[in-house]
Amino acid sequence: MTDKRTPITPTLGDRDVQLTEVLSQQQDQYEDCTPCRLMGSAAFTGLGFYTYYSGRKQLLERKHEIMRSGSRFGIAARKAGLVGMSTVLVGVGAWRLVN
């Protein structure tokens, strides 16, 4: 049984390998293909637009109910949250396409 305070260092052949070294080697071998970036970008961008569309629709349907509830999170705060979340998702889609 190993001591929980002693970190386990993986070995490669006869030498110890540090995690940062393994990760840098994997990053050098990693190649992101264009179809993968397009699919990832389309997924996040589509999710952002869907979030905005469905959230806006639900806000409009329940506007009077929300106003009557007396919640401190009114329509404006919910719209801001909806726009913020949608913007972040579309931004992640754009970042995925470029990077």
Side-chain angles (χ1 to χ4, degrees):
M1 182 168 242
T2 61
D3 185 12
K4 293 196 185 280
R5 289 175 274 156
T6 306
I8 298 173
T9 305
T11 58
L12 180 64
D14 293 335
R15 63 187 186 104
D16 291 341
V17 179
Q18 296 298 323
L19 181 61
T20 55
E21 183 181 341
V22 172
L23 290 176
S24 68
Q25 288 174 359
Q26 287 180 351
Q27 185 66 29
D28 292 341
Q29 297 171 359
Y30 178 72
E31 188 175 327
D32 196 12
C33 63
T34 303
C36 298
R37 283 190 288 166
L38 288 174
M39 282 301 294
S41 176
F44 279 114
T45 303
L47 185 60
F49 283 119
Y50 175 75
T51 300
Y52 180 78
Y53 173 76
S54 66
R56 183 88 170 139
K57 182 180 174 186
Q58 290 178 16
L59 274 178
L60 290 175
E61 288 174 357
R62 305 185 93 184
K63 181 177 181 179
H64 298 293
E65 184 181 335
I66 292 169
M67 292 173 71
R68 281 187 306 209
S69 72
S71 172
R72 65 182 179 162
F73 299 110
I75 297 293
R78 293 171 195 231
K79 280 184 186 178
L82 177 65
V83 168
M85 190 179 340
S86 300
T87 303
V88 167
L89 287 169
V90 170
V92 168
W95 179 84
R96 177 71 179 114
L97 183 63
V98 175
N99 293 320

